[in-house]
Amino acid sequence: MSDRARPVLVVANRLPVSKSPQGWVPSAGGLVTALRPVVEDGGGAWIGWDDDHEGVPAQVDGLACTLRGLRLSGAEVQGYYHGFANRTLWPLLHDLVVTPIIEARWWAVYRDVNERFAQAVDDELDADDEQTMVWVHDYHLMLVPAMLRRRRPRTRIGFFLHVPFPPPELFARLPWRGALLDGLLAADAIGVHTERYRDNLLRTIAHLVADVEVVGDRIRTADGHEVEIVVGPISIDATGFAALATDPETEAELQDLRTQFGDRRVLLGVDRLDYTKGIPNRLEAIEQLLTEHPEHVGRIAFVQIAVPSRDDVREYRELRQQVETEVGRINGRFTHPGSDVPVHYLYRGISRPALAAYYRLADVMCVTPLKDGMNLVAKEFVTVQHAADAGGVLLLSEFCGAALELGGDAVRCNPFDVNGMSTMMDHALALPPADRRERLARMARRIHDHDVFAWVDGQLEALRGRR
Ligand code: GDG
């Protein structure tokens, strides 16, 4: 078998399919699009939590790979997913933007569920299979590489972390820090989005793991195993998004939006409703903008699309309340009888053509997270705007991975500095059209040249041990 066609088994918290009224269908996200050829070509498989759906089929029309849905009990979902993954690791890895909850019971369940994932991989592989490469995704499954290595000493194992890796002094707070690092170090390649996360991870390993030798991007552990840290900023299907930009469905949605917003200029936010995304700070900056620059009142609109997320978790329910209170306050202050509200708040997901239409409509796209591993919304906005020959501006937080690639041509901001962010919004609205188009063109070129397919190639190349 040629090396390129080695089968790949993907292990992730979620499966790449969702249930629609018509039955099971492949999910639309960028990761699924990118991994589809990889898992399909070599007869690969995908293992993930079935998300409480009874009977996920092993095959779904339109996706030629084997699906293995893992059923988790209520207690496992609580401890592993809502607890340790989302209330301990998520805030810890995002620089403690809220305080992580340290709860030994959750850790025990996380370990058990990771063991179940590792066992499911082992069950999926034939006893003598040394060809299949296993690619484990994200912070939910940090122990899986070591647990699988014990069962499969010769299997090539990769891991990709979709979120940031924090500085050593933050990661060191976690009581189970050593076990998580040992979990990762059993992989052959560990992927992260940026050089900063790589440096943080290397420094953390050197600081907390005994008897490791760090040489450049490679680490040799006490037992002689070698693992490479591979920097690879994830990206989007740029060609697909460019096509979506002028799709007839997108055009029809855009027509409606143009009728609705008339000649008002639109600032836009698109995020899961998550405290890392900095939505309250963004709303405060909008309020400040309308207060300090009354000439904008009635002439701009701010649209926030907030996709419901993790609403079983208390911090997320509180965030929703905070956001909805702020929206109400701003609209209460600045709406004049007979005129439209300044803030439009949608608490739901929208279709892809509708999303592309909002991207086209926006004069300023506000991507202002307090911390974000990469942020694909920024890349999607730039790609859609450029493909439609529009002239919007990307307002981009310094604290997301995308700032490294796009920061030079975006208008950068510090989301913790609400006054400064409000000034940058005003500045973005005032940028000359030619300047905006040049910035968009440069960013779009970079995204096109480093799309999600290039990202997959880079990660798999390292996993094959070819670099
Ligand atoms: C994690 C990391 C990292 C959003 N609203 C709608 C919708 N979306 C789609 C966007 C985009 C995706 O969701 C969001 O991706 P992000 O990268 O912005 O953020 P996270 O969900 O936090 O993702 C992040 C990523 O993993 C990949 O490694 O970049 O840092 O946190 O693709 O288009 N899609 C539709 N309707 C919506 O209303 N259809």
Side-chain angles (χ1 to χ4, degrees):
M1 184 181 298
S2 87
D3 214 34
R4 219 187 143 66
R6 281 176 76 164
V8 175
L9 198 167
V10 171
V11 192
N13 179 52
R14 297 287 169 108
L15 289 167
V17 291
S18 25
K19 197 164 189 181
S20 76
Q22 290 75 42
W24 290 96
V25 290
S27 304
L31 190 62
V32 178
T33 311
L35 292 182
R36 179 189 289 254
V38 173
V39 284
E40 288 187 330
D41 281 1
W46 192 307
I47 293 175
W49 169 36
D50 70 5
D51 203 5
D52 289 341
H53 290 292
E54 204 63 75
V56 180
Q59 297 289 335
V60 163
D61 278 353
L63 188 70
C65 88
T66 306
L67 302 173
R68 295 287 181 231
L70 213 62
R71 186 116 274 249
L72 300 181
S73 70
E76 284 176 326
V77 174
Q78 272 308 323
Y80 148 78
Y81 180 67
H82 297 310
F84 196 74
N86 286 339
R87 298 183 81 186
T88 309
L89 283 178
W90 178 264
L92 181 88
L93 297 171
H94 287 88
D95 286 359
L96 317 182
V97 292
V98 311
T99 305
I101 297 172
I102 305 294
E103 179 66 66
R105 277 174 313 154
W106 293 347
W107 162 248
V109 181
Y110 179 87
R111 229 179 25 210
D112 292 349
V113 171
N114 271 241
E115 199 78 68
R116 287 197 57 201
F117 272 88
Q119 187 57 46
V121 176
D122 190 45
D123 292 345
E124 189 59 31
L125 300 175
D126 289 340
D128 58 352
D129 184 350
E130 288 181 3
Q131 276 298 313
T132 301
M133 304 192 295
V134 178
W135 197 9
V136 184
H137 286 263
D138 226 359
Y139 63 100
H140 313 87
L141 302 173
M142 289 171 79
L143 299 175
V144 169
M147 291 170 166
L148 183 59
R149 179 66 67 211
R150 282 200 290 278
R151 294 165 166 88
R152 297 270 171 172
R154 296 172 59 81
T155 295
R156 296 293 294 178
I157 305 172
F159 181 91
F160 191 84
L161 186 67
H162 289 261
V163 296
F165 196 90
E169 57 276 20
L170 300 189
F171 193 77
R173 294 187 184 197
L174 192 67
W176 309 284
R177 60 203 192 177
L180 287 171
L181 294 173
D182 287 345
L184 291 182
L185 284 169
D188 296 291
I190 304 170
V192 292
H193 291 302
T194 70
E195 284 164 14
R196 173 86 49 89
Y197 308 155
R198 177 200 56 197
D199 294 347
N200 285 343
L201 179 57
L202 283 173
R203 286 194 299 135
T204 304
I205 290 166
H207 178 56
L208 294 174
V209 184
D211 301 325
V212 287
E213 196 187 331
V214 178
V215 183
D217 290 347
R218 303 189 76 84
I219 302 159
R220 185 195 290 267
T221 57
D223 61 2
H225 175 70
E226 270 202 19
V227 48
E228 182 182 357
I229 314 241
V230 191
V231 175
I234 201 169
S235 191
I236 60 167
D237 172 7
T239 310
F241 266 96
L244 181 66
T246 53
D247 183 274
E249 271 191 73
T250 304
E251 298 284 359
E253 296 277 358
L254 182 63
Q255 202 67 41
D256 290 348
L257 291 176
R258 291 224 159 107
T259 308
Q260 182 186 353
F261 287 96
D263 56 7
R264 277 185 300 167
R265 302 185 72 197
V266 173
L267 297 97
L268 175 67
V270 175
D271 317 77
R272 277 186 307 100
L273 189 54
D274 192 299
Y275 51 76
T276 59
K277 304 290 183 181
I279 300 171
N281 297 33
R282 192 182 301 159
L283 283 164
E284 281 174 37
I286 291 286
E287 185 171 18
Q288 181 93 5
L289 181 70
L290 294 170
T291 308
E292 301 288 322
H293 295 276
E295 70 276 13
H296 289 315
V297 177
R299 299 217 171 83
I300 61 168
F302 174 60
V303 180
Q304 175 65 53
I305 297 165
V307 183
S309 180
R310 306 178 192 170
D311 49 10
D312 295 327
V313 173
R314 181 164 53 81
E315 289 80 8
Y316 288 76
R317 288 195 300 273
E318 287 173 358
L319 172 69
R320 180 179 174 194
Q321 262 183 0
Q322 185 188 358
V323 166
E324 294 183 358
T325 302
E326 282 191 33
V327 170
R329 191 186 63 232
I330 300 170
N331 282 343
R333 268 189 75 187
F334 295 101
T335 307
H336 295 296
S339 66
D340 195 10
V341 293
V343 179
H344 288 237
Y345 168 70
L346 284 71
Y347 177 66
R348 56 179 169 278
I350 58 176
S351 71
R352 274 164 62 84
L355 181 65
Y358 274 107
Y359 287 152
R360 276 188 62 180
L361 179 77
D363 293 284
V364 181
M365 178 80 226
C366 304
V367 177
T368 63
L370 306 178
K371 191 77 192 176
D372 210 337
M374 174 51 58
N375 195 292
L376 296 178
V377 166
K379 294 184 173 182
E380 293 166 5
F381 166 77
V382 166
T383 302
V384 165
Q385 282 264 322
H386 180 66
D389 201 21
V393 181
L394 176 63
L395 178 69
L396 189 60
S397 160
E398 295 166 22
F399 299 103
C400 62
L404 283 140
E405 287 166 279
L406 307 180
D409 287 304
V411 170
R412 284 170 71 115
C413 70
N414 169 5
F416 295 92
D417 170 11
V418 168
N419 287 346
M421 187 155 54
S422 156
T423 304
M424 286 303 150
M425 286 173 172
D426 188 49
H427 171 67
L429 285 164
L431 278 184
D435 186 10
R436 288 189 238 143
R437 277 170 210 280
E438 284 164 19
R439 288 167 181 252
L440 275 175
R442 284 193 294 267
M443 290 189 283
R445 164 60 49 199
R446 230 165 287 141
I447 296 165
H448 178 270
D449 292 348
H450 300 278
D451 66 2
V452 72
F453 304 106
W455 171 79
V456 168
D457 285 349
Q459 293 296 311
L460 289 187
E461 186 77 1
L463 180 49
R464 286 187 200 103
R466 283 298 190 70
R467 291 159 26 121

PDB file of all heavy atoms in Angstrom, residues 90 162 193 234 270 272 277 305 307 349-352 355 359 372-377 380, ligand 1:
ATOM      1  N   TRP A  90     -11.431  23.727  29.466  1.00  0.00           N
ATOM      2  CA  TRP A  90     -11.708  24.838  28.539  1.00  0.00           C
ATOM      3  C   TRP A  90     -11.263  26.187  29.122  1.00  0.00           C
ATOM      4  O   TRP A  90     -10.463  26.897  28.497  1.00  0.00           O
ATOM      5  CB  TRP A  90     -13.198  24.826  28.147  1.00  0.00           C
ATOM      6  CG  TRP A  90     -13.623  25.940  27.253  1.00  0.00           C
ATOM      7  CD1 TRP A  90     -14.194  27.127  27.640  1.00  0.00           C
ATOM      8  CD2 TRP A  90     -13.524  26.007  25.811  1.00  0.00           C
ATOM      9  NE1 TRP A  90     -14.452  27.925  26.540  1.00  0.00           N
ATOM     10  CE2 TRP A  90     -14.050  27.258  25.410  1.00  0.00           C
ATOM     11  CE3 TRP A  90     -13.031  25.137  24.842  1.00  0.00           C
ATOM     12  CZ2 TRP A  90     -14.116  27.656  24.071  1.00  0.00           C
ATOM     13  CZ3 TRP A  90     -13.091  25.541  23.500  1.00  0.00           C
ATOM     14  CH2 TRP A  90     -13.632  26.778  23.135  1.00  0.00           C
ATOM     15  N   HIS A 162      -7.197  21.992  19.146  1.00  0.00           N
ATOM     16  CA  HIS A 162      -7.881  23.073  18.437  1.00  0.00           C
ATOM     17  C   HIS A 162      -7.956  24.369  19.244  1.00  0.00           C
ATOM     18  O   HIS A 162      -8.367  25.398  18.730  1.00  0.00           O
ATOM     19  CB  HIS A 162      -9.300  22.628  18.049  1.00  0.00           C
ATOM     20  CG  HIS A 162      -9.292  21.596  16.962  1.00  0.00           C
ATOM     21  ND1 HIS A 162      -9.508  21.911  15.633  1.00  0.00           N
ATOM     22  CD2 HIS A 162      -9.044  20.271  16.981  1.00  0.00           C
ATOM     23  CE1 HIS A 162      -9.419  20.816  14.902  1.00  0.00           C
ATOM     24  NE2 HIS A 162      -9.138  19.797  15.693  1.00  0.00           N
ATOM     25  N   HIS A 193      -1.970  25.322  16.704  1.00  0.00           N
ATOM     26  CA  HIS A 193      -2.193  26.341  15.668  1.00  0.00           C
ATOM     27  C   HIS A 193      -1.006  27.292  15.468  1.00  0.00           C
ATOM     28  O   HIS A 193      -0.764  27.743  14.357  1.00  0.00           O
ATOM     29  CB  HIS A 193      -3.373  27.238  16.056  1.00  0.00           C
ATOM     30  CG  HIS A 193      -4.717  26.590  16.031  1.00  0.00           C
ATOM     31  ND1 HIS A 193      -5.244  26.002  14.908  1.00  0.00           N
ATOM     32  CD2 HIS A 193      -5.666  26.464  16.985  1.00  0.00           C
ATOM     33  CE1 HIS A 193      -6.467  25.548  15.183  1.00  0.00           C
ATOM     34  NE2 HIS A 193      -6.734  25.804  16.442  1.00  0.00           N
ATOM     35  N   ILE A 234      -5.040  26.069  11.551  1.00  0.00           N
ATOM     36  CA  ILE A 234      -6.166  25.500  10.811  1.00  0.00           C
ATOM     37  C   ILE A 234      -6.790  26.593   9.942  1.00  0.00           C
ATOM     38  O   ILE A 234      -6.632  27.790  10.202  1.00  0.00           O
ATOM     39  CB  ILE A 234      -7.210  24.877  11.761  1.00  0.00           C
ATOM     40  CG1 ILE A 234      -8.092  23.869  11.016  1.00  0.00           C
ATOM     41  CG2 ILE A 234      -8.057  25.937  12.423  1.00  0.00           C
ATOM     42  CD1 ILE A 234      -8.959  23.017  11.929  1.00  0.00           C
ATOM     43  N   VAL A 270     -20.245  37.160  14.933  1.00  0.00           N
ATOM     44  CA  VAL A 270     -20.777  35.792  14.743  1.00  0.00           C
ATOM     45  C   VAL A 270     -19.970  34.861  15.645  1.00  0.00           C
ATOM     46  O   VAL A 270     -18.762  34.674  15.431  1.00  0.00           O
ATOM     47  CB  VAL A 270     -20.625  35.313  13.275  1.00  0.00           C
ATOM     48  CG1 VAL A 270     -21.072  33.868  13.138  1.00  0.00           C
ATOM     49  CG2 VAL A 270     -21.391  36.198  12.311  1.00  0.00           C
ATOM     50  N   ARG A 272     -20.238  31.338  18.692  1.00  0.00           N
ATOM     51  CA  ARG A 272     -20.956  30.551  19.685  1.00  0.00           C
ATOM     52  C   ARG A 272     -21.076  31.435  20.912  1.00  0.00           C
ATOM     53  O   ARG A 272     -20.180  32.242  21.202  1.00  0.00           O
ATOM     54  CB  ARG A 272     -20.150  29.296  20.058  1.00  0.00           C
ATOM     55  CG  ARG A 272     -20.322  28.141  19.125  1.00  0.00           C
ATOM     56  CD  ARG A 272     -19.620  26.874  19.623  1.00  0.00           C
ATOM     57  NE  ARG A 272     -18.218  27.081  19.936  1.00  0.00           N
ATOM     58  CZ  ARG A 272     -17.739  27.258  21.163  1.00  0.00           C
ATOM     59  NH1 ARG A 272     -18.543  27.228  22.218  1.00  0.00           N
ATOM     60  NH2 ARG A 272     -16.455  27.448  21.347  1.00  0.00           N
ATOM     61  N   LYS A 277     -15.422  34.428  23.791  1.00  0.00           N
ATOM     62  CA  LYS A 277     -15.582  35.209  22.559  1.00  0.00           C
ATOM     63  C   LYS A 277     -15.710  36.717  22.824  1.00  0.00           C
ATOM     64  O   LYS A 277     -15.742  37.522  21.885  1.00  0.00           O
ATOM     65  CB  LYS A 277     -16.794  34.716  21.762  1.00  0.00           C
ATOM     66  CG  LYS A 277     -16.750  33.226  21.408  1.00  0.00           C
ATOM     67  CD  LYS A 277     -15.696  32.884  20.366  1.00  0.00           C
ATOM     68  CE  LYS A 277     -15.735  31.405  19.986  1.00  0.00           C
ATOM     69  NZ  LYS A 277     -14.724  31.039  18.993  1.00  0.00           N
ATOM     70  N   ILE A 305     -24.888  37.578  15.949  1.00  0.00           N
ATOM     71  CA  ILE A 305     -25.450  36.230  15.827  1.00  0.00           C
ATOM     72  C   ILE A 305     -24.766  35.396  16.908  1.00  0.00           C
ATOM     73  O   ILE A 305     -23.542  35.243  16.895  1.00  0.00           O
ATOM     74  CB  ILE A 305     -25.198  35.650  14.423  1.00  0.00           C
ATOM     75  CG1 ILE A 305     -25.926  36.515  13.395  1.00  0.00           C
ATOM     76  CG2 ILE A 305     -25.674  34.196  14.347  1.00  0.00           C
ATOM     77  CD1 ILE A 305     -25.491  36.281  11.981  1.00  0.00           C
ATOM     78  N   VAL A 307     -24.715  31.801  18.543  1.00  0.00           N
ATOM     79  CA  VAL A 307     -25.180  30.423  18.366  1.00  0.00           C
ATOM     80  C   VAL A 307     -25.228  29.749  19.744  1.00  0.00           C
ATOM     81  O   VAL A 307     -24.218  29.747  20.463  1.00  0.00           O
ATOM     82  CB  VAL A 307     -24.232  29.649  17.425  1.00  0.00           C
ATOM     83  CG1 VAL A 307     -24.758  28.241  17.169  1.00  0.00           C
ATOM     84  CG2 VAL A 307     -24.049  30.403  16.115  1.00  0.00           C
ATOM     85  N   GLY A 349     -28.524  29.528  15.427  1.00  0.00           N
ATOM     86  CA  GLY A 349     -27.679  29.353  14.261  1.00  0.00           C
ATOM     87  C   GLY A 349     -28.491  29.690  13.015  1.00  0.00           C
ATOM     88  O   GLY A 349     -29.721  29.624  13.027  1.00  0.00           O
ATOM     89  N   ILE A 350     -27.809  30.074  11.943  1.00  0.00           N
ATOM     90  CA  ILE A 350     -28.499  30.382  10.691  1.00  0.00           C
ATOM     91  C   ILE A 350     -27.897  29.514   9.576  1.00  0.00           C
ATOM     92  O   ILE A 350     -26.846  28.898   9.777  1.00  0.00           O
ATOM     93  CB  ILE A 350     -28.388  31.891  10.351  1.00  0.00           C
ATOM     94  CG1 ILE A 350     -26.923  32.312  10.256  1.00  0.00           C
ATOM     95  CG2 ILE A 350     -29.133  32.726  11.382  1.00  0.00           C
ATOM     96  CD1 ILE A 350     -26.732  33.765   9.823  1.00  0.00           C
ATOM     97  N   SER A 351     -28.559  29.493   8.416  1.00  0.00           N
ATOM     98  CA  SER A 351     -28.068  28.632   7.326  1.00  0.00           C
ATOM     99  C   SER A 351     -26.758  29.194   6.758  1.00  0.00           C
ATOM    100  O   SER A 351     -26.439  30.366   6.956  1.00  0.00           O
ATOM    101  CB  SER A 351     -29.113  28.584   6.203  1.00  0.00           C
ATOM    102  OG  SER A 351     -29.135  29.834   5.544  1.00  0.00           O
ATOM    103  N   ARG A 352     -26.028  28.352   6.052  1.00  0.00           N
ATOM    104  CA  ARG A 352     -24.757  28.830   5.479  1.00  0.00           C
ATOM    105  C   ARG A 352     -24.958  29.973   4.484  1.00  0.00           C
ATOM    106  O   ARG A 352     -24.207  30.955   4.535  1.00  0.00           O
ATOM    107  CB  ARG A 352     -24.000  27.666   4.830  1.00  0.00           C
ATOM    108  CG  ARG A 352     -23.138  26.901   5.836  1.00  0.00           C
ATOM    109  CD  ARG A 352     -22.719  25.562   5.299  1.00  0.00           C
ATOM    110  NE  ARG A 352     -21.894  25.649   4.100  1.00  0.00           N
ATOM    111  CZ  ARG A 352     -20.582  25.845   4.116  1.00  0.00           C
ATOM    112  NH1 ARG A 352     -19.937  25.977   5.249  1.00  0.00           N
ATOM    113  NH2 ARG A 352     -19.901  25.881   2.992  1.00  0.00           N
ATOM    114  N   LEU A 355     -25.529  33.027   6.481  1.00  0.00           N
ATOM    115  CA  LEU A 355     -24.279  33.451   7.121  1.00  0.00           C
ATOM    116  C   LEU A 355     -23.405  34.205   6.107  1.00  0.00           C
ATOM    117  O   LEU A 355     -22.875  35.288   6.401  1.00  0.00           O
ATOM    118  CB  LEU A 355     -23.545  32.211   7.646  1.00  0.00           C
ATOM    119  CG  LEU A 355     -22.231  32.429   8.371  1.00  0.00           C
ATOM    120  CD1 LEU A 355     -22.445  33.191   9.676  1.00  0.00           C
ATOM    121  CD2 LEU A 355     -21.545  31.081   8.662  1.00  0.00           C
ATOM    122  N   TYR A 359     -21.975  38.047   6.105  1.00  0.00           N
ATOM    123  CA  TYR A 359     -20.562  38.393   5.877  1.00  0.00           C
ATOM    124  C   TYR A 359     -20.454  39.445   4.775  1.00  0.00           C
ATOM    125  O   TYR A 359     -19.654  40.370   4.850  1.00  0.00           O
ATOM    126  CB  TYR A 359     -19.750  37.158   5.466  1.00  0.00           C
ATOM    127  CG  TYR A 359     -19.442  36.138   6.549  1.00  0.00           C
ATOM    128  CD1 TYR A 359     -19.254  34.786   6.222  1.00  0.00           C
ATOM    129  CD2 TYR A 359     -19.299  36.505   7.888  1.00  0.00           C
ATOM    130  CE1 TYR A 359     -18.939  33.842   7.189  1.00  0.00           C
ATOM    131  CE2 TYR A 359     -18.995  35.552   8.862  1.00  0.00           C
ATOM    132  CZ  TYR A 359     -18.818  34.229   8.511  1.00  0.00           C
ATOM    133  OH  TYR A 359     -18.500  33.286   9.461  1.00  0.00           O
ATOM    134  N   ASP A 372      -8.827  32.885  21.761  1.00  0.00           N
ATOM    135  CA  ASP A 372      -9.405  31.965  20.779  1.00  0.00           C
ATOM    136  C   ASP A 372      -8.256  31.228  20.092  1.00  0.00           C
ATOM    137  O   ASP A 372      -7.287  31.868  19.655  1.00  0.00           O
ATOM    138  CB  ASP A 372     -10.191  32.775  19.735  1.00  0.00           C
ATOM    139  CG  ASP A 372     -11.365  31.996  19.151  1.00  0.00           C
ATOM    140  OD1 ASP A 372     -11.328  30.761  19.195  1.00  0.00           O
ATOM    141  OD2 ASP A 372     -12.307  32.636  18.651  1.00  0.00           O
ATOM    142  N   GLY A 373      -8.367  29.901  19.997  1.00  0.00           N
ATOM    143  CA  GLY A 373      -7.288  29.112  19.407  1.00  0.00           C
ATOM    144  C   GLY A 373      -6.901  29.632  18.033  1.00  0.00           C
ATOM    145  O   GLY A 373      -5.745  29.947  17.764  1.00  0.00           O
ATOM    146  N   MET A 374      -7.878  29.721  17.121  1.00  0.00           N
ATOM    147  CA  MET A 374      -7.636  30.275  15.797  1.00  0.00           C
ATOM    148  C   MET A 374      -8.691  31.335  15.496  1.00  0.00           C
ATOM    149  O   MET A 374      -8.445  32.499  15.481  1.00  0.00           O
ATOM    150  CB  MET A 374      -7.674  29.145  14.743  1.00  0.00           C
ATOM    151  CG  MET A 374      -7.580  29.582  13.294  1.00  0.00           C
ATOM    152  SD  MET A 374      -6.216  30.698  12.921  1.00  0.00           S
ATOM    153  CE  MET A 374      -4.803  29.769  13.409  1.00  0.00           C
ATOM    154  N   ASN A 375      -9.908  30.944  15.239  1.00  0.00           N
ATOM    155  CA  ASN A 375     -11.097  31.681  14.821  1.00  0.00           C
ATOM    156  C   ASN A 375     -11.274  31.637  13.305  1.00  0.00           C
ATOM    157  O   ASN A 375     -10.615  32.346  12.547  1.00  0.00           O
ATOM    158  CB  ASN A 375     -11.139  33.135  15.309  1.00  0.00           C
ATOM    159  CG  ASN A 375     -12.562  33.677  15.143  1.00  0.00           C
ATOM    160  OD1 ASN A 375     -13.039  33.861  14.018  1.00  0.00           O
ATOM    161  ND2 ASN A 375     -13.266  33.856  16.240  1.00  0.00           N
ATOM    162  N   LEU A 376     -12.192  30.789  12.908  1.00  0.00           N
ATOM    163  CA  LEU A 376     -12.446  30.583  11.486  1.00  0.00           C
ATOM    164  C   LEU A 376     -13.390  31.622  10.912  1.00  0.00           C
ATOM    165  O   LEU A 376     -13.366  31.882   9.698  1.00  0.00           O
ATOM    166  CB  LEU A 376     -13.013  29.173  11.263  1.00  0.00           C
ATOM    167  CG  LEU A 376     -12.045  28.052  11.643  1.00  0.00           C
ATOM    168  CD1 LEU A 376     -12.684  26.688  11.452  1.00  0.00           C
ATOM    169  CD2 LEU A 376     -10.762  28.149  10.814  1.00  0.00           C
ATOM    170  N   VAL A 377     -14.198  32.249  11.761  1.00  0.00           N
ATOM    171  CA  VAL A 377     -15.129  33.274  11.277  1.00  0.00           C
ATOM    172  C   VAL A 377     -14.346  34.385  10.571  1.00  0.00           C
ATOM    173  O   VAL A 377     -14.749  34.872   9.509  1.00  0.00           O
ATOM    174  CB  VAL A 377     -15.969  33.830  12.457  1.00  0.00           C
ATOM    175  CG1 VAL A 377     -16.680  35.107  12.070  1.00  0.00           C
ATOM    176  CG2 VAL A 377     -16.971  32.770  12.933  1.00  0.00           C
ATOM    177  N   GLU A 380     -13.418  33.206   7.131  1.00  0.00           N
ATOM    178  CA  GLU A 380     -14.605  33.084   6.268  1.00  0.00           C
ATOM    179  C   GLU A 380     -15.061  34.468   5.785  1.00  0.00           C
ATOM    180  O   GLU A 380     -15.381  34.662   4.603  1.00  0.00           O
ATOM    181  CB  GLU A 380     -15.735  32.387   7.033  1.00  0.00           C
ATOM    182  CG  GLU A 380     -15.435  30.931   7.341  1.00  0.00           C
ATOM    183  CD  GLU A 380     -16.347  30.286   8.375  1.00  0.00           C
ATOM    184  OE1 GLU A 380     -17.308  30.940   8.829  1.00  0.00           O
ATOM    185  OE2 GLU A 380     -16.115  29.126   8.741  1.00  0.00           O
TER     186      GLU A 380
HETATM  187  C1  GDG B   1     -12.812  25.861  17.921  1.00  0.00           C
HETATM  188  C2  GDG B   1     -11.800  26.864  18.514  1.00  0.00           C
HETATM  189  C3  GDG B   1     -10.779  27.111  16.245  1.00  0.00           C
HETATM  190  C4  GDG B   1     -20.988  30.003  13.369  1.00  0.00           C
HETATM  191  N1  GDG B   1     -22.248  30.452  13.399  1.00  0.00           N
HETATM  192  C5  GDG B   1     -22.915  29.776  12.450  1.00  0.00           C
HETATM  193  C6  GDG B   1     -22.023  28.910  11.813  1.00  0.00           C
HETATM  194  N2  GDG B   1     -20.842  29.068  12.421  1.00  0.00           N
HETATM  195  C7  GDG B   1     -19.603  28.357  12.059  1.00  0.00           C
HETATM  196  C8  GDG B   1     -18.621  29.318  11.450  1.00  0.00           C
HETATM  197  C9  GDG B   1     -17.275  28.653  11.751  1.00  0.00           C
HETATM  198  C10 GDG B   1     -17.566  27.848  13.032  1.00  0.00           C
HETATM  199  O1  GDG B   1     -18.976  27.820  13.212  1.00  0.00           O
HETATM  200  C11 GDG B   1     -16.956  28.494  14.268  1.00  0.00           C
HETATM  201  O2  GDG B   1     -15.588  28.269  14.273  1.00  0.00           O
HETATM  202  P1  GDG B   1     -14.583  29.156  15.147  1.00  0.00           P
HETATM  203  O3  GDG B   1     -13.201  28.811  14.731  1.00  0.00           O
HETATM  204  O4  GDG B   1     -14.883  30.597  14.951  1.00  0.00           O
HETATM  205  O5  GDG B   1     -14.870  28.822  16.683  1.00  0.00           O
HETATM  206  P2  GDG B   1     -15.097  27.536  17.664  1.00  0.00           P
HETATM  207  O6  GDG B   1     -16.434  26.931  17.462  1.00  0.00           O
HETATM  208  O7  GDG B   1     -14.851  28.075  19.042  1.00  0.00           O
HETATM  209  O8  GDG B   1     -13.959  26.456  17.274  1.00  0.00           O
HETATM  210  C12 GDG B   1     -11.358  27.855  17.451  1.00  0.00           C
HETATM  211  C13 GDG B   1     -11.705  25.995  15.789  1.00  0.00           C
HETATM  212  O9  GDG B   1     -12.111  25.153  16.864  1.00  0.00           O
HETATM  213  C14 GDG B   1     -11.050  25.119  14.714  1.00  0.00           C
HETATM  214  O10 GDG B   1      -9.837  24.581  15.170  1.00  0.00           O
HETATM  215  O11 GDG B   1     -10.609  28.045  15.184  1.00  0.00           O
HETATM  216  O12 GDG B   1     -10.376  28.726  17.981  1.00  0.00           O
HETATM  217  O13 GDG B   1     -12.363  27.543  19.638  1.00  0.00           O
HETATM  218  O14 GDG B   1     -16.937  27.773  10.727  1.00  0.00           O
HETATM  219  O15 GDG B   1     -18.923  29.437  10.093  1.00  0.00           O
HETATM  220  N3  GDG B   1     -22.375  28.117  10.800  1.00  0.00           N
HETATM  221  C15 GDG B   1     -23.674  28.175  10.380  1.00  0.00           C
HETATM  222  N4  GDG B   1     -24.611  28.969  10.976  1.00  0.00           N
HETATM  223  C16 GDG B   1     -24.272  29.782  12.005  1.00  0.00           C
HETATM  224  O16 GDG B   1     -25.128  30.495  12.543  1.00  0.00           O
HETATM  225  N5  GDG B   1     -24.064  27.408   9.342  1.00  0.00           N
END
